[in-house]
Amino acid sequence: MKQKHLLLCLVLIGTAFTSRAQFSVGLETGINKNTLYTNTGFDAFTQYKSSNGFNIGVPVRYDFNSYIAIQADPQYIQKNYKLARTDFYDGVYTNYRNSYVQLPVMAHLSIGDKKLKGFLNLGAYAGYWASSHIKGTQPDIFGKSNDDLDQYTNLLQLKPGVKFDQKYDFDSRRDRRIELGALIGIGIEYELNSRYQIFAETRYYHGLTDLQKNYMIEQVPRYNQTFTGQVGCMYRFGK
Amino acid sequence: MNLTHLHRNTVKLILGIILIISTFSCRKEVPQINQPERYTQTNFADIFQSYWTGMNNSYIFWDIDHTNWDDVYKKYKPIFAKLNANDSTDIRKAYTYFKEMTSNLVDSHYTLKFNNDYLQDSAWIQPARSRHEKQPGYHGGFGKNFFKYTLMKKYLDTGAMFGDVTTYDRNYVYAVAGKIKANNILYLHFNTFYLKEVYGYTGNFSLAIRRTLQYYLDQVRNPAGLRGIIIDVRSNGGGQLADLDFLIGPLTDKSYVIGATRGKSGTGRLDYGPWIDAKVNATGANAFTAPVIILADVNSISMSEMTTMAIKALPSGNGKFVGEQTWGGTGPLSRNEFFNSGQFSTGFFRSVYTSSLMMRDKDGKIYENIGLSPDIEVKYDAAAIALGNDPQLERAINLIP
């Protein structure tokens, strides 16, 4: 519902700006790799690993002149990661698929000739952690033991693994669902004609808010850091 | 746009870029979380910190526990910092502080076992035991002799069996099995859950208990004519989880869910993994459909409580719980590394004995520090027992038509 409201606002803003010559709106999509920046303390044979996701957005841009513009990309973006056990515990893991609705706002700085330009995006973003899904394998302490083995080389031989695939229930005491951060992106854009422009960009989102509220002493903070590679096209309104 | 204006915009832009880039370093510092075992124990600042950190990260019940662990840190850290680790008076003081700060922890397995020579004569700190002992009507456990002599003689047929053994890890295990007099009702009592293990022993030293367990297994595998089963876990302090399938598995021909458990997914107090179904794995050829009664009391802990859950959840709906509210220590134990939660040690503590997993029943209710309520309550009756009677068992017998 919140996404629908956001899109409606953008359409209204777009309509208001159509009389101005420098207003563009478009569509972008890409794939990303998210890393959870944190620490597993003394948890044995446990590590966080980066995971892939995708993102889709509707960039809107207002050009002040041919080299400076301001851009906002309301978007849906996944920020996934994996918690994996290693060595004797290999095979025990949890994949986290996190969905965010995010609004990056950035200065869009271009350089180059009229048709082909390079650009730098620099700005900040605010996101809302809309939902999360967990999937993986855990040892089942109640599982039927394998009595045939006289030694175990893996935990899942000793405690059979059980698969799970479920929605993650947020804990309001812990989970911080608003994320703020900075971004930087570089790319190239090509003007097909006076209306259409295509672009390719790689962008980095640097989370600055802990994904947890401050609820305990010696809390280990967690931050998202996301690299995306995306392509898109823009449509220019007005003359 | 004139040149001055352009320069002003450029300066603003550069300042903006510097501002944004500077924000990239605005993150909180990641603290180093050290393993409790790695702290030196030469001073009480470290002794306290190692224990507090171990609890902070490994204790499984922060979700439901009312102890404010941050307040414990703020209050006791400066107090411990003033104590001398080489002074016996201060070590005794530390003992009382540890007792205070753990008194309300909900984990009803929780036990602090000390490593310090000055505390060798001290009882272990067991918050749940202290709480139970203060309850009106609390009673001690039944002894072996009550089952071996009084109960067997008065209530069981002459073919009843008794067997005992001391296990390789020095646990004393005994079992009583037989038929209720003049009734085709199977009765089984045992003091601890080590049954599958001792059943697997070879050698004459374990012969009697293996025969006793074999008697139970033969009866439940061939239950023709059996009117019901009474499993008596009164005063049973728990033991190995494998016994759930060993005892209850033969009563069902399909595996079934009795509840769920969850461990930790990270170092945070509220970092929980998913709930994983806890099951009885079927080993029976047919479902046992006659009544199955479990007798439990306030001293029935851990596996006794899980077995009670399992009987109440029997798919045929033929399970009933008679007796008293149980102890309330339902969290299973395992090695800390398996689930990144549960028991740990420090130099000062030989063991901080605490559950590895949180457990709930099939209806989603957590009984930790609460205990399971009987379907039919029959209180412990010291006077009747002194006369050789067992009102709880009698009520169970009368429930079986």
Side-chain angles (χ1 to χ4, degrees), chain B residues 101-136:
Chain B
M101 72 173 83
T102 57
S103 62
N104 293 316
L105 291 174
V106 299
D107 181 0
S108 295
H109 280 96
Y110 196 83
T111 309
L112 286 178
K113 300 173 186 176
F114 293 91
N115 233 352
N116 193 284
D117 290 342
Y118 290 117
L119 297 171
Q120 289 308 309
D121 59 336
S122 303
W124 298 341
I125 292 176
Q126 291 182 303
R129 180 163 296 282
S130 302
R131 289 195 293 270
H132 278 294
E133 285 174 355
K134 285 177 195 157
Q135 280 179 348

Side-chain angles (χ1 to χ4, degrees), chain B residues 117-400:
Chain B
D117 290 342
Y118 290 117
L119 297 171
Q120 289 308 309
D121 59 336
S122 303
W124 298 341
I125 292 176
Q126 291 182 303
R129 180 163 296 282
S130 302
R131 289 195 293 270
H132 278 294
E133 285 174 355
K134 285 177 195 157
Q135 280 179 348
Y138 175 77
H139 58 87
F142 287 89
K144 176 187 75 175
N145 287 348
F146 174 77
F147 296 99
K148 186 177 177 183
Y149 300 111
T150 310
L151 188 146
M152 272 183 88
K153 189 175 170 189
K154 174 154 188 178
Y155 295 99
L156 299 188
D157 261 342
T158 48
M161 297 180 188
F162 173 88
D164 61 354
V165 68
T166 299
T167 65
Y168 293 116
D169 48 356
R170 296 181 187 173
N171 280 298
Y172 177 68
V173 186
Y174 74 81
V176 175
K179 293 278 184 68
I180 299 292
K181 275 183 182 170
N183 260 306
N184 203 0
I185 296 171
L186 178 63
Y187 173 87
L188 176 71
H189 167 75
F190 46 98
N191 65 323
T192 182
F193 286 82
Y194 263 81
L195 306 183
K196 187 182 177 192
E197 183 158 321
V198 301
Y199 180 72
Y201 283 179
T202 53
N204 289 336
F205 73 105
S206 55
L207 204 56
I209 192 163
R210 282 186 284 127
R211 277 186 184 150
T212 307
L213 296 174
Q214 191 63 56
Y215 177 84
Y216 167 80
L217 292 175
D218 288 345
Q219 291 290 322
V220 296
R221 283 173 186 157
N222 302 289
L226 207 58
R227 289 172 50 207
I229 300 172
I230 297 171
I231 296 176
D232 187 347
V233 294
R234 287 176 295 176
S235 302
N236 186 317
Q240 295 178 349
L241 198 48
D243 281 7
L244 194 65
D245 290 350
F246 179 79
L247 282 174
I248 311 300
L251 301 179
T252 178
D253 59 350
K254 58 181 177 194
S255 301
Y256 66 98
V257 172
I258 66 166
T261 60
R262 65 175 178 176
K264 294 290 291 289
S265 64
T267 55
R269 284 185 210 147
L270 298 176
D271 289 345
Y272 287 102
W275 286 105
I276 300 293
D277 281 347
K279 288 180 183 169
V280 169
N281 298 291
T283 58
N286 296 295
F288 184 79
T289 53
V292 180
I293 312 285
I294 187 149
L295 276 179
D297 67 4
V298 66
N299 296 305
S300 303
I301 310 170
S302 192
M303 262 299 288
S304 297
E305 296 177 292
M306 290 177 218
T307 306
T308 304
M309 280 186 204
I311 286 176
K312 282 171 67 76
L314 276 167
S316 303
N318 52 334
K320 252 192 179 55
F321 166 24
V322 176
E324 296 173 314
Q325 186 108 347
T326 59
W327 183 270
T330 55
L333 277 89
S334 183
R335 290 176 59 139
N336 186 297
E337 313 86 80
F338 285 8
F339 298 95
N340 278 330
S341 48
Q343 54 195 314
F344 62 95
S345 61
T346 72
F348 195 69
F349 292 106
R350 184 158 52 83
S351 170
V352 177
Y353 187 77
T354 179
S355 302
S356 305
L357 299 166
M358 184 186 270
M359 185 166 189
R360 66 185 189 193
D361 77 348
K362 69 182 174 62
D363 298 320
K365 185 163 181 192
I366 297 168
Y367 290 94
E368 194 68 35
N369 197 35
I370 297 169
L372 288 104
S373 300
D375 298 314
I376 295 156
E377 187 178 57
V378 185
K379 291 276 193 190
Y380 177 84
D381 185 340
I385 287 162
L387 294 171
N389 297 319
D390 187 345
Q392 291 170 325
L393 177 61
E394 286 170 15
R395 188 65 196 275
I397 295 167
N398 290 334
L399 283 172
I400 299 173

Side-chain angles (χ1 to χ4, degrees), chain A residues 85 173-174 206 222-223, chain B residues 6 24 28 63 271 337:
Chain A
R85 307 291 307 273
R173 295 166 297 180
R174 183 193 63 169
H206 186 77
R222 292 173 190 158
Y223 299 99
Chain B
L6 189 63
F24 275 72
K28 283 186 281 188
D63 187 31
D271 289 345
E337 313 86 80

